[in-house]
Amino acid sequence: MPRARIHRIATSGPDDTSGLRDLIETGALEPSKLVAILGKTEGNGCVNDFTRAFAVKALKQELGSAAEGVSMVMSGGTEGGLSPHIVTFEVLDENGPGAAMAIGAAISRDLKAHEIGTFIQIECVAEAVNEAIKTAGISAADDVHFIQIKCPLLTADRIAEAEGPVATTDTLKSMGLSRGASALGVALALGEIDIATAKTTKIGVDANVWSGRASTSAGIELMGHEIVVLGMSSNWTGPLIVDHAVMTDAIDTASVTASLDRLNVGEHAKLRAIFAKAEASSNGRIRGDRHTMLDDSDISSTRHARAFVGGALAGLTGGCDIYVSGGAEHQGPDGGGPVAVIAERTC
Amino acid sequence: MPRARIHRIATSGPDDTSGLRDLIETGALEPSKLVAILGKTEGNGCVNDFTRAFAVKALKQELGSAAEGVSMVMSGGTEGGLSPHIVTFEVLDENGPGAAMAIGAAISRDLKAHEIGTFIQIECVAEAVNEAIKTAGISAADDVHFIQIKCPLLTADRIAEAEGPVATTDTLKSMGLSRGASALGVALALGEIDIATAKTTKIGVDANVWSGRASTSAGIELMGHEIVVLGMSSNWTGPLIVDHAVMTDAIDTASVTASLDRLNVGEHAKLRAIFAKAEASSNGRIRGDRHTMLDDSDISSTRHARAFVGGALAGLTGGCDIYVSGGAEHQGPDGGGPVAVIAERTC
Amino acid sequence: MPRARIHRIATSGPDDTSGLRDLIETGALEPSKLVAILGKTEGNGCVNDFTRAFAVKALKQELGSAAEGVSMVMSGGTEGGLSPHIVTFEVLDENGPGAAMAIGAAISRDLKAHEIGTFIQIECVAEAVNEAIKTAGISAADDVHFIQIKCPLLTADRIAEAEGPVATTDTLKSMGLSRGASALGVALALGEIDIATAKTTKIGVDANVWSGRASTSAGIELMGHEIVVLGMSSNWTGPLIVDHAVMTDAIDTASVTASLDRLNVGEHAKLRAIFAKAEASSNGRIRGDRHTMLDDSDISSTRHARAFVGGALAGLTGGCDIYVSGGAEHQGPDGGGPVAVIAERTC
Amino acid sequence: MPRARIHRIATSGPDDTSGLRDLIETGALEPSKLVAILGKTEGNGCVNDFTRAFAVKALKQELGSAAEGVSMVMSGGTEGGLSPHIVTFEVLDENGPGAAMAIGAAISRDLKAHEIGTFIQIECVAEAVNEAIKTAGISAADDVHFIQIKCPLLTADRIAEAEGPVATTDTLKSMGLSRGASALGVALALGEIDIATAKTTKIGVDANVWSGRASTSAGIELMGHEIVVLGMSSNWTGPLIVDHAVMTDAIDTASVTASLDRLNVGEHAKLRAIFAKAEASSNGRIRGDRHTMLDDSDISSTRHARAFVGGALAGLTGGCDIYVSGGAEHQGPDGGGPVAVIAERTC
């Protein structure tokens, strides 16, 4: 029977793999069991953030052949007090009672530059997501709580060499379109939207069309998609459980409190990891108060949002090694975002 | 009998005084009763933040002769979802039961460039703080909950023209030294430290020497200090009450919850305004987790800290028009900071 | 006979008008003769740059009623070694030989938010430019060397309140569209393009359609256009002469050298002022070498370009009080831009 | 007889080694002959610039065992139009006439955190520089034209773990102190200053003490120093020649023109590479004009200076693949900096 195991490992820099190595050396982590590694690195999380690729290169070097087939999703940007770290996901084989947290993973084909931010990307992602759910052995879409996708972006070079017209020539904006199309791919796969909606939704514009369980990050280092699915499955065993919340705005801590309660965190379980999306609301308001994130030409709004939502979640949970990823296009309602919570049953 | 009245007014830009004007026109605010205006403006909150001076210029133009003697303390930086706004403080004359929130204000002499960040500044501030407490009619130092100080900073020009050696030639650092010396002036005035400690404390270095009630902001637009004191006094009447918390770190929301409870917010009072200080802990850690605020050469750590602590407080209180000011040198423990809470009794 | 006079005045901050005041007090500048003031202020030159409005407010306060009808065009951003300053343009009445530099000015109607970045803006600008050329008494389009336009931009608030669909919801991008449409308005007025081209040009996209004499800046502080025209006219007298170059890329100093030579700078004239546009080439290359300006999510490409072109021009001319304005959409070829040079005949 | 060969290779990202690989595959570059690689990468060039380490990691992976003993000095920051690239330095064995450009290299011991920015660092560097000059076979100090040093910096973590008091707790400032101490080490080794001066100079403060040939860069990826020396030697052969200029300020292109003339660039030689230092003058002025680089809290002054001086040099030479490195503490006069020029004799 499959059993999920996770480790949350602090890093001292993008290429620091010493914590991972220590766990391997003590036997607490078996490289051959790894299916995914998610992490926060300390770059700007935008176009020219090379810390993600640097981290992946270091992890691959550290893991050697065991890295083969492991989905590595680094999200740049540890603004405010957010702490750089990685979370490893292993699948062990163990008998025991279900249900428990299940993990699935998949990798899509590479996109061409002109496909980024279009319906072609939505379809490509939906297909790969369905494959990942199947590999996870999750039987119902409702049992899926988190789908993390690493997706590509456009650079000046890629635009110059594109085969056809690109969705945008603004490189920063291309990250948003790619994240948005990927999230719509999740929504399509989970039945949150139908194919007709997927086709007609204006990517990056129709903010009322969204997935409550997608978390997508754009990176310069790939042209395809790396997909990790988390959910509950009666086919899995072990102490880990997972749930999700959908924050309705940047300060909706109540929704996360409800999710922690559903998992009995505090009483019968302890918090093990949080994965959240954050973004600036497009109407420039939070509960009626004007924010300035979208008007700031010195700091990207994605950096503002990560710092702020990171503060809200860290203030709630008392820890800073939280995965908060910027750019929540079509991921939760405008200005809000999905939050996945992993806990460990303590009794 | 004096009675304090406050208005929290949203602004659409640094020079937006329309909200203030509306309240004046409807009679809800009497310019002649104003003693202080605190506000958050949307600049970077660092050396080259001209939004503070721009806001003050606009407020003075709007108020005309009524601006005379009104202490105006604009703090730059509305990172994350923080919302630009001003809070006006009026003193009305009204009979009624005490005790209630009391307000005092004072303005110090102008410093010379070489005095900024030195013991001379500490002394200068302590003297002016004592004067402000006296004008507030607050009888005991324990009843003081918040002392806001706007203090000067060094610019390249001021350094070049200084009469003597300046405390630092790093303009951004000069803001920290000035804020620190001002906070130590508060600590000295309130008896939190003695004169011997004040003399020997290495400003900006000895982080374990601090005031739990000082909130200081540096601005390019003045060379003296503008001081506002808030506290409880049996000589004052009205529904407003004030308390303070000292956050021990950037995510210590528990301390603020305790303060809200002391004021019976929720049950017998409603929250009217929050004034908090934020800073990155100098050891690079928050509850053991590494943060990257001090290593980020693209975004000042003060901007990171405002966004993050702003998120923590907004997530706790459900509102974004919070005054969070960066740079908490000698204001609360390293990495934490004082938080003043004003509430209005509802029964 | 009209005679142009200019003063280049250093400023110590956005609201510093002391240099202007000094010239007025000594009689070297007559406020009633002012028709325009152009200046560089030290903000970020992007959406949330309030130094422009702050400077204008201070200038208006300083000039009082004499500010009426004076076109004030502040361009934000003094990156690199560029030096904040203003250039005043007066029109005196004096008999003497022609030809000499002529000045004209005009102000367009306010645009509505949804008109920004559209053909409506092009038409609106062309009309106002023709009016300004007429007021300058310049007889041929070829004698026009510089048309400076201050144009509006979109903010989150303006987008939210727009009457119709806006050209973009990206506030930084709105600055580019507005600058581009304004430049095309100049091209239309000068006959550099015809009306059919103006109608079909994709604003912000068709980089091969441009004016060689337009210089446009977007600012948050206005919704209309402030227009200043400089050219040579036989109806004007005085020592000032004006010419222009079109830089073909960011390092095309040869074109400026040629313009300086046409004006006999060095031998029979001395350089008095330079007004240049700068931008990052959209193909990500300068003479084949890759640049990173468009991929940098920490610093706007307009800031990079101002610093770099500013360096090229300051290295050529030996002075840093140069007006280099970012965002050269449809102003000169892609990656290059127009440069106006004002000199004073010395014999 | 030793003969120097260099290749200037464009890179498409910090970890792009494809250009290097191509040259190796065609035989144009022999890895076993490499002694040094200098390069510009597109990070922020400040504390949290991981592009330097990423580039070095990629180069080492590409070169394999041939990387052993090759000094790799990546300088972060390609602001403005500066173009990311590397310059490889090989030493071939070939008979022919002298004199020609000579190369030497050395690596110092690792410093401890508390030694950074102190006299101990000066001594450590001077010793290693003398070793590098000796390995180059350069007989007189006057024949040395360029000494590139990569030196360490402090991070929050290194400060927290330091054995003794560190020179500064400001991580960005630590880069300046380390660069300054390294430059003074060069000055000491070249006889530009004596030991007494080296001991009494206040590092980072006494700007009038400097080396005209040092170029130092701080990086997070090492704790020692990597040193490369370029000079003229009668013991070397080949077409390469080297000279240097000392820019007196950020726009002193005349000094570089003189150096190009000394090398007969244009007539008998062609320009092959430029290595320059840039910094903001500490008095806030360039030829009397105020600059704002030191007052900008959004962009580090080192980034401003690289963009601006890069523009001046690219405008002069017509190419953007120039090595301009920020932070010229004790490297040339305040606000200026050394510039090394390598040319190839064409006849």
Side-chain angles (χ1 to χ4, degrees):
Chain A
M1 240 175 136
R3 181 211 144 164
R5 181 167 66 183
I6 67 169
H7 289 286
R8 192 155 48 161
I9 309 169
T11 54
S12 65
D15 59 333
D16 173 30
T17 57
S18 61
L20 175 66
R21 194 184 319 130
D22 288 350
L23 289 175
I24 293 171
E25 285 172 4
T26 63
L29 188 152
E30 293 174 66
S32 64
K33 307 296 188 189
L34 279 170
V35 292
I37 301 178
L38 270 65
K40 287 298 306 176
T41 60
E42 57 207 281
N44 62 23
C46 300
V47 172
N48 62 329
D49 181 351
F50 300 98
T51 61
R52 296 171 295 217
F54 194 19
V56 167
K57 195 180 193 90
L59 286 170
K60 286 188 173 166
Q61 200 168 49
E62 182 67 42
L63 292 170
S65 61
E68 203 68 33
V70 177
S71 186
M72 295 184 185
V73 186
M74 297 296 125
S75 160
T78 55
E79 291 80 7
L82 291 174
S83 192
H85 69 284
I86 57 171
V87 179
T88 58
F89 292 85
E90 291 166 273
V91 178
L92 311 180
D93 191 15
E94 200 174 291
N95 282 333
M101 187 176 86
I103 306 172
I107 290 177
S108 86
R109 70 164 172 91
D110 281 2
L111 290 185
K112 303 195 169 180
H114 68 276
E115 295 175 338
I116 292 176
T118 70
F119 177 69
I120 296 174
Q121 188 176 11
I122 297 178
E123 270 192 316
C124 170
V125 167
E127 201 174 314
V129 164
N130 280 325
E131 186 195 326
I133 294 175
K134 196 181 295 174
T135 69
I138 300 173
S139 51
D142 277 3
D143 291 334
V144 173
H145 289 291
F146 182 66
I147 299 185
Q148 171 65 40
I149 299 182
K150 188 74 178 194
C151 55
L153 56 86
L154 292 170
T155 61
D157 269 6
R158 289 173 187 169
I159 291 167
E161 294 162 11
E163 292 174 21
V166 292
T168 178
T169 56
D170 179 327
T171 55
L172 189 58
K173 200 172 177 184
S174 79
M175 302 177 75
L177 291 179
S178 181
R179 289 187 299 251
S182 298
L184 291 172
V186 171
L188 181 58
L190 294 182
E192 297 176 303
I193 61 171
D194 57 25
I195 185 83
T197 304
K199 268 183 183 154
T200 55
T201 296
K202 282 190 75 176
I203 300 168
V205 176
D206 297 337
N208 58 328
V209 183
W210 46 270
S211 166
R213 287 163 280 174
S215 166
T216 65
S217 280
I220 203 169
E221 66 275 20
L222 80 178
M223 282 302 283
H225 303 81
E226 297 188 0
I227 295 166
V228 178
V229 172
L230 301 182
M232 291 298 291
S233 168
S234 54
N235 301 320
W236 288 58
T237 189
L240 295 181
I241 46 179
V242 63
D243 190 71
H244 79 278
V246 177
M247 290 176 78
T248 56
D249 60 26
I251 59 177
D252 179 19
T253 49
S255 68
V256 182
T257 299
S259 180
L260 293 168
D261 288 348
R262 283 192 295 273
L263 293 172
N264 284 311
V265 168
E267 283 193 77
H268 302 300
K270 65 174 185 182
L271 182 61
R272 287 295 306 279
I274 291 187
F275 301 89
K277 292 299 298 189
E279 71 173 357
S281 60
S282 65
N283 70 348
R285 304 269 160 182
I286 300 174
R287 300 192 189 176
D289 290 331
R290 180 173 72 101
H291 67 73
T292 60
M293 296 187 266
L294 296 173
D295 284 343
D296 190 347
S297 306
D298 293 311
I299 302 178
S300 161
S301 68
T302 57
R303 305 200 74 179
H304 277 291
R306 274 191 297 269
F308 193 67
V309 174
L313 293 175
L316 179 70
T317 63
C320 290
D321 50 351
I322 298 174
Y323 180 101
V324 181
S325 168
E329 300 83 355
H330 301 298
Q331 299 150 68
D334 188 356
V339 180
V341 182
I342 300 177
E344 184 173 339
R345 282 181 282 235
T346 49
C347 56
Chain B
M1 243 176 135
R3 181 211 144 165
R5 181 167 67 183
I6 67 169
H7 290 285
R8 190 155 48 159
I9 308 170
T11 54
S12 65
D15 59 333
D16 174 30
T17 57
S18 60
L20 175 66
R21 193 183 319 131
D22 288 349
L23 289 175
I24 293 173
E25 285 172 2
T26 62
L29 188 152
E30 292 174 66
S32 64
K33 308 297 189 188
L34 281 170
V35 291
I37 301 177
L38 271 65
K40 287 299 305 176
T41 60
E42 57 206 283
N44 63 22
C46 301
V47 172
N48 62 329
D49 181 351
F50 299 98
T51 61
R52 296 171 295 217
F54 195 18
V56 167
K57 196 182 193 87
L59 287 170
K60 287 188 173 166
Q61 200 169 50
E62 182 67 43
L63 292 170
S65 61
E68 202 69 30
V70 177
S71 186
M72 295 183 187
V73 187
M74 297 297 123
S75 159
T78 54
E79 292 80 8
L82 291 174
S83 192
H85 69 284
I86 57 171
V87 179
T88 58
F89 292 85
E90 291 165 273
V91 178
L92 310 180
D93 191 15
E94 198 175 291
N95 281 333
M101 186 175 88
I103 307 172
I107 290 176
S108 86
R109 72 165 172 91
D110 281 2
L111 291 185
K112 301 192 170 182
H114 68 276
E115 295 175 339
I116 293 176
T118 70
F119 176 68
I120 296 175
Q121 186 176 13
I122 297 177
E123 270 192 316
C124 171
V125 167
E127 200 174 314
V129 163
N130 280 324
E131 187 195 324
I133 294 175
K134 196 181 297 174
T135 68
I138 300 173
S139 50
D142 278 2
D143 292 334
V144 173
H145 289 290
F146 182 67
I147 299 185
Q148 171 64 41
I149 298 183
K150 188 76 179 193
C151 56
L153 56 85
L154 292 171
T155 61
D157 269 5
R158 288 172 187 170
I159 292 166
E161 293 162 12
E163 291 173 23
V166 292
T168 179
T169 55
D170 180 326
T171 54
L172 189 57
K173 202 174 175 182
S174 79
M175 302 178 75
L177 291 179
S178 182
R179 287 187 299 251
S182 298
L184 292 172
V186 171
L188 181 58
L190 294 184
E192 297 176 302
I193 62 171
D194 57 25
I195 185 83
T197 306
K199 267 183 183 156
T200 55
T201 297
K202 281 189 76 175
I203 299 168
V205 176
D206 297 337
N208 58 329
V209 183
W210 47 269
S211 166
R213 287 163 280 174
S215 166
T216 65
S217 279
I220 202 171
E221 66 275 19
L222 79 178
M223 283 302 283
H225 303 81
E226 297 188 359
I227 296 167
V228 177
V229 172
L230 301 182
M232 291 298 292
S233 169
S234 55
N235 301 321
W236 288 60
T237 190
L240 295 180
I241 46 180
V242 63
D243 190 71
H244 79 279
V246 177
M247 291 176 77
T248 55
D249 60 26
I251 57 176
D252 179 18
T253 49
S255 67
V256 181
T257 299
S259 180
L260 293 169
D261 287 349
R262 282 194 294 275
L263 292 172
N264 285 310
V265 168
E267 282 194 78
H268 301 301
K270 65 177 184 180
L271 181 61
R272 288 295 306 278
I274 291 186
F275 301 89
K277 292 299 298 188
E279 71 173 358
S281 60
S282 65
N283 70 347
R285 303 269 162 184
I286 299 174
R287 301 192 188 177
D289 290 331
R290 179 173 73 99
H291 68 73
T292 60
M293 295 187 267
L294 296 172
D295 285 345
D296 189 347
S297 305
D298 293 312
I299 302 178
S300 162
S301 68
T302 58
R303 305 200 74 179
H304 277 292
R306 273 191 297 269
F308 193 67
V309 174
L313 294 175
L316 179 71
T317 63
C320 292
D321 49 352
I322 298 174
Y323 180 102
V324 180
S325 169
E329 299 83 357
H330 302 297
Q331 299 149 68
D334 189 354
V339 181
V341 182
I342 300 177
E344 184 173 338
R345 283 182 282 234
T346 47
C347 54
Chain C
M1 242 175 134
R3 180 210 144 166
R5 180 167 67 182
I6 68 169
H7 289 287
R8 192 155 48 159
I9 308 170
T11 54
S12 66
D15 59 333
D16 174 30
T17 57
S18 61
L20 176 66
R21 193 183 320 132
D22 288 351
L23 290 175
I24 293 173
E25 284 172 4
T26 62
L29 188 152
E30 293 175 66
S32 63
K33 308 296 188 188
L34 281 170
V35 290
I37 302 178
L38 271 65
K40 287 298 306 176
T41 61
E42 56 207 282
N44 63 22
C46 300
V47 173
N48 62 329
D49 181 350
F50 299 98
T51 61
R52 297 171 295 216
F54 194 18
V56 167
K57 196 182 192 89
L59 286 169
K60 287 188 173 167
Q61 200 169 51
E62 182 67 42
L63 291 171
S65 60
E68 202 68 29
V70 177
S71 187
M72 295 184 185
V73 187
M74 296 297 124
S75 159
T78 55
E79 291 80 7
L82 291 175
S83 193
H85 69 284
I86 56 172
V87 179
T88 58
F89 292 84
E90 291 166 90
V91 178
L92 310 180
D93 191 15
E94 200 173 290
N95 282 334
M101 186 176 87
I103 308 173
I107 291 177
S108 86
R109 72 163 172 92
D110 280 3
L111 290 185
K112 302 195 169 180
H114 69 275
E115 296 175 339
I116 293 176
T118 70
F119 177 68
I120 296 175
Q121 187 176 13
I122 297 177
E123 271 192 315
C124 170
V125 167
E127 200 173 316
V129 163
N130 280 325
E131 186 194 326
I133 294 175
K134 196 180 297 175
T135 69
I138 300 173
S139 51
D142 277 3
D143 292 334
V144 173
H145 289 292
F146 182 67
I147 299 185
Q148 170 65 39
I149 298 181
K150 188 75 176 194
C151 56
L153 56 84
L154 292 171
T155 62
D157 269 6
R158 288 172 188 170
I159 291 167
E161 294 162 12
E163 291 174 21
V166 292
T168 179
T169 55
D170 180 326
T171 53
L172 189 58
K173 200 172 177 183
S174 79
M175 301 177 76
L177 291 179
S178 181
R179 288 187 299 252
S182 298
L184 291 172
V186 171
L188 181 59
L190 294 183
E192 296 176 303
I193 62 171
D194 57 25
I195 184 84
T197 305
K199 268 184 182 154
T200 54
T201 297
K202 280 189 78 177
I203 300 168
V205 176
D206 297 337
N208 58 328
V209 183
W210 46 269
S211 167
R213 287 163 280 174
S215 166
T216 65
S217 279
I220 202 170
E221 66 275 20
L222 80 178
M223 283 301 284
H225 303 81
E226 296 188 1
I227 296 166
V228 177
V229 172
L230 300 183
M232 290 298 291
S233 168
S234 55
N235 301 320
W236 288 60
T237 190
L240 295 181
I241 47 180
V242 63
D243 190 70
H244 79 278
V246 178
M247 291 177 78
T248 56
D249 60 25
I251 58 177
D252 179 18
T253 49
S255 67
V256 181
T257 299
S259 179
L260 293 169
D261 287 349
R262 282 193 294 274
L263 292 172
N264 285 310
V265 168
E267 283 194 78
H268 302 301
K270 66 175 183 181
L271 181 61
R272 289 296 305 279
I274 291 187
F275 301 89
K277 292 299 299 190
E279 71 173 359
S281 61
S282 65
N283 70 347
R285 304 270 160 183
I286 300 174
R287 301 192 188 177
D289 290 331
R290 180 173 72 100
H291 67 74
T292 60
M293 295 187 266
L294 296 173
D295 283 344
D296 189 346
S297 305
D298 292 312
I299 301 178
S300 161
S301 68
T302 57
R303 306 200 73 179
H304 277 291
R306 273 191 297 268
F308 193 66
V309 174
L313 293 175
L316 179 70
T317 63
C320 291
D321 49 351
I322 297 173
Y323 180 101
V324 180
S325 169
E329 299 84 355
H330 303 296
Q331 299 149 67
D334 189 355
V339 180
V341 183
I342 300 176
E344 183 172 340
R345 282 181 282 235
T346 48
C347 57
Chain D
M1 242 177 134
R3 181 210 145 165
R5 180 167 66 182
I6 67 169
H7 290 286
R8 190 155 48 159
I9 308 169
T11 54
S12 65
D15 59 334
D16 174 31
T17 57
S18 60
L20 175 66
R21 193 183 320 131
D22 288 350
L23 290 175
I24 294 172
E25 284 173 2
T26 62
L29 188 152
E30 292 175 66
S32 64
K33 308 296 188 187
L34 281 170
V35 291
I37 302 177
L38 271 65
K40 287 297 307 175
T41 61
E42 56 206 283
N44 63 23
C46 300
V47 173
N48 62 329
D49 182 351
F50 299 98
T51 62
R52 296 171 295 217
F54 194 20
V56 167
K57 195 182 194 89
L59 287 169
K60 286 188 173 166
Q61 201 169 49
E62 183 67 43
L63 292 170
S65 61
E68 203 68 31
V70 177
S71 186
M72 295 184 186
V73 187
M74 297 296 125
S75 160
T78 55
E79 291 81 7
L82 291 174
S83 192
H85 68 285
I86 57 172
V87 179
T88 57
F89 293 84
E90 291 166 273
V91 178
L92 310 179
D93 190 16
E94 201 174 288
N95 281 332
M101 186 176 86
I103 307 172
I107 290 177
S108 86
R109 71 163 171 92
D110 281 3
L111 290 185
K112 302 194 170 181
H114 68 276
E115 295 175 340
I116 292 177
T118 70
F119 176 69
I120 296 174
Q121 187 175 12
I122 297 178
E123 271 192 314
C124 171
V125 167
E127 201 174 313
V129 164
N130 280 324
E131 186 195 326
I133 293 175
K134 196 181 297 174
T135 68
I138 300 173
S139 51
D142 278 2
D143 292 335
V144 173
H145 289 292
F146 181 67
I147 299 186
Q148 171 63 41
I149 299 183
K150 189 75 179 192
C151 56
L153 55 85
L154 292 170
T155 61
D157 269 5
R158 288 172 187 170
I159 291 167
E161 293 162 12
E163 291 174 22
V166 291
T168 178
T169 56
D170 179 326
T171 55
L172 188 57
K173 201 172 176 183
S174 80
M175 301 178 76
L177 291 179
S178 181
R179 289 187 298 251
S182 298
L184 291 171
V186 171
L188 181 59
L190 294 183
E192 298 176 300
I193 62 173
D194 58 24
I195 184 82
T197 305
K199 268 184 183 155
T200 55
T201 297
K202 281 189 77 173
I203 299 168
V205 176
D206 297 337
N208 58 328
V209 183
W210 46 269
S211 166
R213 286 163 281 174
S215 165
T216 65
S217 280
I220 202 170
E221 66 274 20
L222 79 178
M223 283 302 284
H225 303 81
E226 296 189 0
I227 295 166
V228 177
V229 172
L230 301 182
M232 290 298 291
S233 169
S234 56
N235 301 321
W236 288 59
T237 190
L240 295 181
I241 47 179
V242 63
D243 190 70
H244 79 278
V246 178
M247 291 176 77
T248 56
D249 59 27
I251 57 177
D252 179 19
T253 49
S255 67
V256 182
T257 299
S259 180
L260 293 168
D261 288 349
R262 282 193 294 275
L263 293 171
N264 284 310
V265 168
E267 282 193 78
H268 302 301
K270 66 175 183 181
L271 181 61
R272 287 296 306 278
I274 292 187
F275 301 88
K277 292 299 298 189
E279 71 173 359
S281 60
S282 65
N283 70 348
R285 304 269 161 184
I286 300 173
R287 301 193 187 176
D289 291 330
R290 180 173 73 101
H291 67 72
T292 61
M293 295 188 266
L294 296 173
D295 285 344
D296 190 347
S297 306
D298 293 312
I299 302 178
S300 162
S301 68
T302 57
R303 306 200 74 180
H304 277 292
R306 274 191 297 269
F308 193 67
V309 174
L313 294 174
L316 179 71
T317 64
C320 291
D321 49 351
I322 298 173
Y323 180 101
V324 181
S325 169
E329 300 83 356
H330 302 297
Q331 299 150 67
D334 188 355
V339 181
V341 183
I342 300 176
E344 183 171 339
R345 284 181 282 234
T346 49
C347 57

